[in-house]
Amino acid sequence: MKNNKIAFLQLCSTLFLIVFLLNCESRQKQTEDSRENFSDLKQKQYYIEGKRLYKIHCSNCHMDEGEGLARLIPPLAQSDFMLSDISRTICIIKYGIAGEIDVNGVYYNQPMPGLIHLKDIEIAEIATYIYNSWGHNEGIISIPQVKEALKSCNKPTLPNQQ
Amino acid sequence: MRFIRPDINRIFFFILFPFILNACYQANSEKHLPYLGNRIYQDGDTLYHQIANFSFIDQDSSLVTNEDFDGKVYVADFFFTSCPTICPKMKSQMLRVYESFKDNDEVMILSHTIDTKYDTIPLLKSYAERLDVEAPKWRFVTGKQEEIYELGQESYMVTTAEDEFSPGGYMHSGAFILVDKDRRVRGVYDGTKEEQVDQLIRDIPLLLKEYEEQ
C-alpha cells in the first residue's frame, strides 16, 4: 500500500518534470531559430537596436508583430510592397508616404509621417529589423545602402505636416 | 500508513488550491463598479457626475446626441485619424471591444475626433470602413472643436487639447471611458494597454447586470 502510493507520487512528479522540460526546450528552440541565421555579429547588433527603435517609432501603428491595423495601416510582416523594394522602404521611413498603395492586394490610403530626424545608422537598424523579422530573411541593410537609397527619394506632400 | 497521511492532505490542498483561488477571484469579479467624478449631496439625495448634453455628427452624417445612448452603456474615446502616436493602438484595442459586444445592442462605442479641421465626415466614413466597423454600434463623431474639448475635459474627465509640441499637433489621453445607462462614468481604462482593455471587456457585462437586477 505504502509502496504503491509512493510509486504513484514518483510517477506523477516524473511526468510533471518531463512536461516541464519539454516545454522549456521548445521555447528555447524557438528563440534560437530566429537568431541562428545571424552569423554576422554586426547584423545581430543592428537587429537588436532596430527592434528597440521599431518599438519607439513604428509599432504604434504597424503593431508589435508588424500586422498593421485592418485596412487602415498596412502590415509589414509578409508585405509584398515592402519586400519588393528595399530602397523605397528606406525612403518611406525617412520621408513618409501619402496616397494609395496596394499591399498584398488590399488598398491602403493612410498618410504616414516621415521620421526625418533619424540618422542613417538608425534607418539601417530599423530596416535590418523589419527585413529579418516575421519570417523575412534579407540580411543586413547597411549604412551605404541607406545613403544610396536616400539620394533618390520621392518626397511626399503630407497633410497636417508640422 | 501513518507517514503517508500528511502527504495526502498536502496533495489535496494543492489540488484544491487553484479552485480556492478561483472562488476568491469569482467573488471579486462580482464587484460593483464605482461612480467616478464629483458628487453633489442635495436634499438627502446623492447626485452623481453625469455626461453633459452633446450634439455631434457621425460618419454617416447622422445627428448623434445623448438620446442615442438611452438604454445603452457605451465606451467613449478621443482620437484623430492622422494621429501618429497612440491612436492606432487604441483603435486596435477598441476593435476588441467592438468584436466582443458585436451582437449586444445594449453596448455602443463613441469615438470623438479632436481634429475637426482635418477629420471631415467623409474621412471619418472611410476610416470606419477601413476598420470594418459600422454605425450605429460604433459612431465616429465630429462637431464644434471647443464643444468636443469641453466635453472631454468636463464630462469624460480626460485631457484633450491642441498642442503644437505634441506629435501630430494634439495632446490627448488614450483613455476609454465606460458610461452607464444613466450617463454616469463607471470606469476609465488605458486604451493602449491590453490588460486594461481586458478588464473593460469583463466590466461591461457587470454593468449590464446591474440593470437586470433592478
Side-chain angles (χ1 to χ4, degrees):
Chain A
M1 184 71 182
K2 185 178 167 184
N3 282 344
N4 272 351
K5 283 205 166 124
I6 291 175
F8 176 69
L9 280 179
Q10 273 176 342
L11 186 70
C12 282
S13 51
T14 318
L15 275 176
F16 179 75
L17 204 67
I18 290 170
V19 171
F20 184 72
L21 287 176
L22 277 177
N23 206 10
C24 273
E25 200 195 27
S26 67
R27 263 187 211 172
Q28 209 170 15
K29 219 174 176 182
Q30 248 179 0
T31 45
E32 270 169 15
D33 270 351
S34 53
R35 298 273 170 76
E36 73 187 352
N37 301 331
F38 293 174
S39 46
D40 188 356
L41 182 67
K42 194 171 169 190
Q43 183 174 329
K44 253 187 209 170
Q45 284 174 341
Y46 274 40
Y47 182 90
I48 291 166
E49 188 57 18
K51 184 174 186 169
R52 190 183 71 81
L53 292 166
Y54 179 85
K55 279 237 176 330
I56 299 170
H57 299 293
C58 320
S59 74
N60 269 324
C61 295
H62 291 290
M63 307 292 155
D64 291 342
E65 297 301 319
E67 72 267 34
L69 174 61
R71 283 182 290 134
L72 270 173
I73 292 158
L76 303 181
Q78 300 301 325
S79 151
D80 58 358
F81 183 85
M82 186 184 103
L83 290 169
S84 67
D85 192 340
I86 295 177
S87 299
R88 179 176 59 193
T89 305
I90 290 168
C91 288
I92 294 172
I93 295 173
K94 178 101 175 175
Y95 298 111
I97 187 172
E100 201 168 52
I101 57 167
D102 174 348
V103 180
N104 300 339
V106 179
Y107 285 96
Y108 295 84
N109 193 1
Q110 179 77 5
M112 163 178 153
L115 296 163
I116 199 83
H117 57 279
L118 285 186
K119 298 186 197 90
D120 292 350
I121 183 167
E122 292 172 315
I123 294 175
E125 286 161 345
I126 292 173
T128 300
Y129 175 68
I130 61 178
Y131 277 105
N132 292 282
S133 294
W134 316 309
H136 308 158
N137 193 10
E138 302 286 326
I140 189 167
I141 314 293
S142 65
I143 298 174
Q145 207 175 336
V146 170
K147 282 195 195 303
E148 190 56 39
L150 290 178
K151 277 182 195 163
S152 48
C153 288
N154 293 321
K155 296 177 195 171
T157 333
L158 294 163
N160 258 14
Q161 210 158 30
Q162 291 297 300
Chain B
M1 237 359 221
R2 216 192 300 152
F3 296 105
I4 297 166
R5 270 249 164 81
D7 271 345
I8 288 179
N9 282 342
R10 215 171 282 169
I11 289 161
F12 267 121
F13 176 73
F14 280 116
I15 292 171
L16 287 176
F17 191 61
F19 293 100
I20 297 167
L21 263 186
N22 194 33
C24 293
Y25 178 72
Q26 291 277 329
N28 191 31
S29 69
E30 291 294 316
K31 68 180 181 184
H32 187 82
L33 299 178
Y35 299 94
L36 305 179
N38 289 332
R39 290 164 198 203
I40 303 166
Y41 299 98
Q42 206 173 52
D43 306 327
D45 283 333
T46 310
L47 300 177
Y48 294 101
H49 172 85
Q50 282 187 314
I51 304 298
N53 287 333
F54 59 78
S55 169
F56 299 123
I57 304 287
D58 77 0
Q59 72 264 38
D60 295 331
S61 305
S62 311
L63 186 71
V64 179
T65 69
N66 311 67
E67 282 169 28
D68 293 283
F69 299 92
D70 279 349
K72 319 266 183 195
V73 307
Y74 69 98
V75 183
D77 75 347
F78 295 82
F79 83 114
F80 55 111
T81 64
S82 60
C83 164
T85 52
I86 55 176
C87 305
K89 212 147 243 184
M90 287 167 70
K91 288 290 162 278
S92 79
Q93 291 300 322
M94 194 64 101
L95 263 181
R96 293 175 52 221
V97 179
Y98 180 87
E99 293 296 332
S100 304
F101 299 96
K102 210 169 181 176
D103 302 319
N104 189 337
D105 289 340
E106 286 182 294
V107 181
M108 287 171 74
I109 300 171
L110 177 59
S111 288
H112 309 75
T113 175
I114 53 171
D115 184 0
T116 52
K117 283 171 245 163
Y118 180 72
D119 288 341
T120 56
I121 292 165
L123 202 65
L124 291 175
K125 176 79 182 163
S126 132
Y127 195 86
E129 276 176 358
R130 285 172 182 277
L131 267 181
D132 273 326
V133 301
E134 284 178 349
K137 172 120 246 148
W138 189 344
R139 309 185 90 157
F140 293 84
V141 296
T142 181
K144 285 201 191 97
Q145 190 142 353
E146 315 85 76
E147 202 188 325
I148 291 174
Y149 289 174
E150 198 185 319
L151 196 75
Q153 301 275 11
E154 309 278 324
S155 286
Y156 294 105
M157 302 176 284
V158 295
T159 309
T160 47
E162 216 163 338
D163 174 31
E164 57 176 315
F165 301 109
S166 296
Y170 294 89
M171 180 172 71
H172 70 114
S173 105
F176 288 175
I177 305 111
L178 177 60
V179 182
D180 72 11
K181 294 182 181 179
D182 298 297
R183 298 193 192 183
R184 295 171 302 201
V185 176
R186 304 299 297 275
V188 177
Y189 310 81
D190 185 338
T192 63
K193 301 226 162 67
E194 201 175 328
E195 322 81 69
Q196 294 221 6
V197 176
D198 288 343
Q199 185 65 49
L200 168 63
I201 291 170
R202 284 195 298 267
D203 284 352
I204 290 175
L206 289 182
L207 190 54
L208 289 170
K209 218 172 151 198
E210 271 180 31
Y211 287 91
E212 280 169 27
E213 284 161 2
Q214 274 175 8

